[in-house]
Each structure stands twice: as structure tokens, then as C-alpha cells.
Amino acid sequence: MDPCAFVRLTVDQLLLKLPAVPRPSSGAGVHPSTSPCFCTLSLQDHPASLSRTALLPLASAASAAAGHADPVVLSLDAEAVRRLSARPAELVVSVHAGPMGTNCGISAARALGRVRVPIDVARAAAGETVVARDGWVDVGKPGSASSSASAAAASARAQIHMVVRAEPDPRYVFQFGSEPECGPVVYQVPGGAAGGGQRQPVFTCRFSAGRRAARSRSLTPQSSMTRSTSRRLRSWLSSTLHGDGRDGSRASREQRKGWTVTIHDLSGSPVAAASMVTPFVPSPGSGRVSRANPGSWLILQATGAGPSSWKPWARLEAWRERGPVDALGYRLELVFDSGPHECAVPIAESSISTKRGGQFVIDPATFPEAAAGAAWPFAGGFVMGSTVEGEGRASRPTVQVGVQHVTCMGDVAVFVALSAAVDLCMDACKLFSQRLRKELCQDQDE
């Protein structure tokens, strides 16, 4: 397989040092040493999608012992790498004092200045780690003094500390030929989603719902799993295919259940699957799937040469978030079977706008528990990313997988199955006042 040249731009150890300014005798206003500060990071002349905002911890002028902010990561895909390798690239860091929000459309923050850091993207794409900045740098220009007493303070500048690093982050890129429920072919995309070269078919995807899923025996647990795992999986699948009786209302009879996506290699053998193991049902008195009662999928991986040997790989939960922004919430855990006990390790938890869509990502840099030092089951950086379209939009997920996490096509297949499950969660979590497309409920209407 031919990987695509991605570059990972990391801005770490962010810290702000403000010059000493005498407090006004009246006590009016906000003193710079106590007001919140933040910065925006973007690439010059690059789309706003590659822009981030980060809080800036403050350090006193005498000591820089304060804690640093969390790392900020910008991922450059193959197209961006080609554009930025052809000309000088600059990271623009704009520093502000004040709250990040706006009041009546007007920002309450005060701009302190900008820092520009040249980035050699071409060297990073060629396989070299490039440290573009490491240390303190002045922010903006010196201020003007209205009196000799304040001249020293006015001439001082704020300083920002940061470590800017560009490093190679090669990934395999795959794309569904159509929506997962339509049984598409999955292609590998050489050179990135917008690159040249011809797409190569690598998998086929088969979707089933309702009673058709019940007739399928390809997901029956076999001796490759321990007895305890086998019993749990049979219970989950039985609950899925026949309902779990949590709600006897009309909405319960219309619940989204029994969906299965099976990924086959080009020889026709199943290599991975995603099975809905907990139905997506509305919470009592509501037309939405709640966080307290989420639906879930089990992601399965074939472990033998035959199609009947499977093991659980991960469990995906999803629900409809409440709040000012309507969103699909999700949580992903890796599932490990250790004899009589099962161990689950969380590796992703976030939300995706149901209107605009977004990205499903597994990445230690964006997952707080991984950043806090919790056990991380993957060696290396970026693991997987998948595009998710908003409700009512045709979806052909594009899947990116870090090269270091792939040893065979079976490793890719589980990420493809997971991507299909995440995409289908957008439909499974639709409000129950809205009807599903016929591809998703045809078996239940038989």
C-alpha cells in the first residue's frame, strides 16, 4: 500500500510572560497580570479549518515555573503539504488578553501582537522532524510612553514561550464509494484525497438490518473467544435482534436495531464487522437518544482463516447531545478479554455537529485521558480519522489510518468498520419524529 504524505504540526509548552505594569491607583479596569489570555494559531494564507485557539497560562517576569498549556496540533493533509512545500510557510500566532467570547458580536479581548514562525514543510514531508521554534520570543511592538515614569514599562514587550515542531505523519487514506448502507466498494486513495493516481478497490461493504441481520450467522462467536466473551456477545446480539424491552411505547417499536456492517476483502472473505448491540431508542418522554441511555455498536475482527472466527475489538456508544448546538455525542472503548474478566480502555470521546458534520478522531493529542498519562494502547501518534457528514447529506466517509498502526489489511478493516458505524450513528440518533431512509429500515417494514 502506498501511504500519503501528511505532516503533523505541534505547538507545545505555550506560556505567556507579561511586562510589569503598575496598577492604577483608582483600581478601575482589569490588570493584565490577572486577565485571561489566549492565542490563535493559523497558517498564513491557509483555510480557516486549520486554525486553533488555545489558552495561555501566565508566568511572572521573574519565573516561568507556571504550568504549560495543552499541546495544539495542526494536521496537514497531502494537498496542503504540496501547496506549502512549494513556497515558504508561516505559522501565525496571535496573542490576546481578555475573554475569548464576544459581546454583541464584538470581541472583548485586546490584541497584544503577533509572532510569525517559518515552517519548512518540505523537510518534514521528506521524513525529517523540524523544530522551527524553541524558547521565548517577543510579541508585537513596544508601546508608546506618555511620561518618563512609565517609559521603561511601555518599552517592555510581552513574551511567549513555545516549541513548534513539524514532523512526518504518513497515513493510508481510504474512501467509501457510496453511503455505507448501500453496500459500497471501499477504495484506497493514493497521494491523499485530492492527489493524483487511480483509486484501488480494497474492500467491499455489506449492510443488513432487522431480520436480515438475524439470519446472518457470520458473527456467531466461536471457540477463538473465551467462553465468558462468547456468552456476553451472544447476549448482546440477542438483545439487539429481538429488542431489550426497555420501552414498550410506539417509539420503542420503531427503534433502530439489528444493523450490521460486514467488511469483506476482495476474495469475498469477511475480515471485520460492526454490529449494533444496544438498540437506539428514545428516552422516556423524549424523541431523542439520550446520553444516559445510549445505543452502542460492537466492532469485531476476524481472527482466523474462516468467516466464523471473531473477537470483539472495540465498543462504540452514541447519543444525541442536548445544548445550544445540536450534536452527536460518542464514546469509544477498546475491549480486551482477559479470562473471566473484560477490560475496556477509553480511547475517544467527543461530539460532532449534526448539521455541519465533522471528524471522528482517535488521537492521543486530542484525547484528555491520553494526555493525562492514562494507559494508551497504541504506540505512536495519530491513530485514525474519519469524515462524518451532517444529517440529510450524502455521506462517503474518508478514512485515514496512521501507517505505524497497520501491519496487514485486517488492521485497516476494523477502522473501516468503525468508520461505517460512526457514520450510521448519525442516522440512528436522528430525532424519532423523523423517518429513516428506506435503506435503513426496509427489513423492519417486512
Side-chain angles (χ1 to χ4, degrees):
M1 294 189 295
D2 181 26
C4 304
F6 281 64
V7 168
R8 187 182 187 91
L9 186 60
T10 305
V11 183
D12 201 2
Q13 299 184 27
L14 283 167
L15 192 63
L16 183 65
K17 185 188 296 182
L18 294 174
V21 178
R23 292 180 181 272
S25 59
S26 62
V30 179
H31 193 264
S33 65
T34 59
S35 62
C37 297
F38 67 95
C39 66
T40 59
L41 304 100
S42 59
L43 288 168
Q44 185 179 21
D45 301 328
H46 209 72
S49 59
L50 277 177
S51 178
R52 301 288 187 272
T53 301
L55 291 173
L56 280 175
L58 293 178
S60 67
S63 172
H68 296 101
D70 293 333
V72 179
V73 177
L74 299 175
S75 178
L76 307 182
D77 61 20
E79 181 182 0
V81 168
R82 281 194 296 271
R83 288 203 307 265
L84 294 173
S85 297
R87 56 183 174 82
E90 280 189 332
L91 176 70
V92 181
V93 183
S94 302
V95 181
H96 303 266
M100 285 191 288
T102 59
N103 187 6
C104 299
I106 301 176
S107 174
R110 177 169 59 92
L112 298 180
R114 291 181 177 179
V115 174
R116 296 179 180 271
V117 181
I119 306 292
D120 195 334
V121 176
R123 284 173 58 194
E128 182 180 349
T129 297
V130 179
V131 179
R133 172 70 67 180
D134 184 357
W136 293 95
V137 59
D138 290 339
V139 176
K141 299 178 180 180
S144 61
S146 58
S147 66
S148 58
S150 59
S155 63
R157 302 190 196 185
Q159 288 186 314
I160 186 172
H161 182 277
M162 55 185 170
V163 177
V164 181
R165 184 174 63 255
E167 52 194 331
D169 187 21
R171 305 176 187 180
Y172 296 116
V173 180
F174 305 88
Q175 187 174 41
F176 286 71
S178 62
E179 296 174 308
E181 63 269 25
C182 296
V185 173
V186 179
Y187 299 90
Q188 184 186 2
V189 183
Q198 188 173 1
R199 300 188 309 171
Q200 299 294 326
V202 289
F203 300 112
T204 58
C205 176
R206 298 179 188 175
F207 174 78
S208 58
R211 285 189 288 273
R212 195 194 328 165
R215 292 194 295 268
S216 174
R217 299 302 175 190
S218 63
L219 300 183
T220 304
Q222 299 294 326
S223 58
S224 61
M225 301 163 57
T226 65
R227 291 182 179 179
S228 60
T229 301
S230 177
R231 285 194 298 269
R232 284 193 297 271
L233 185 52
R234 285 195 185 97
S235 173
W236 287 337
L237 291 176
S238 175
S239 162
T240 299
L241 300 177
H242 304 292
D244 60 2
R246 288 186 293 189
D247 188 350
S249 64
R250 177 177 178 272
S252 178
R253 294 193 296 272
E254 297 173 356
Q255 61 191 337
R256 293 92 193 242
K257 64 178 182 178
W259 298 359
T260 301
V261 178
T262 310
I263 308 301
H264 298 255
D265 61 22
L266 295 183
S267 69
S269 300
V271 286
S275 179
M276 188 182 287
V277 295
T278 304
F280 285 71
V281 299
S283 59
S286 169
R288 66 174 62 219
V289 180
S290 70
R291 185 187 185 102
N293 198 23
S296 68
W297 296 74
L298 193 66
I299 314 301
L300 299 144
Q301 184 176 29
T303 58
S308 59
S309 182
W310 298 85
K311 71 172 183 178
W313 180 77
R315 183 178 178 92
L316 172 69
E317 293 183 335
W319 58 88
R320 186 91 170 207
E321 292 278 20
R322 287 188 177 274
V325 178
D326 206 1
L328 170 77
Y330 65 82
R331 181 189 304 110
L332 180 69
E333 297 177 330
L334 281 188
V335 177
F336 299 95
D337 185 72
S338 54
H341 302 289
E342 180 185 279
C343 174
V345 177
I347 58 173
E349 183 171 354
S350 190
S351 62
I352 300 171
S353 169
T354 57
K355 180 180 180 180
R356 300 186 306 272
Q359 284 269 349
F360 172 88
V361 178
I362 306 175
D363 190 339
T366 60
F367 187 55
E369 292 194 31
W376 184 251
F378 298 100
F382 174 87
V383 180
M384 175 259 192
S386 177
T387 58
V388 183
E389 294 292 341
E391 288 182 347
R393 299 182 183 181
S395 179
R396 296 191 304 161
T398 297
V399 186
Q400 301 171 6
V401 184
V403 168
Q404 65 271 29
H405 305 296
V406 175
T407 58
C408 63
M409 291 303 292
D411 295 334
V412 174
V414 292
F415 291 115
V416 171
L418 172 61
S419 173
V422 173
D423 186 82
L424 288 165
C425 282
M426 191 64 77
D427 293 289
C429 288
K430 288 181 68 172
L431 298 178
F432 277 75
S433 58
Q434 303 173 348
R435 291 186 61 84
L436 297 176
R437 296 192 301 275
K438 62 180 181 180
E439 293 87 356
L440 297 169
C441 54
Q442 56 186 350
D443 292 337
Q444 297 173 3
D445 291 340
E446 290 179 354

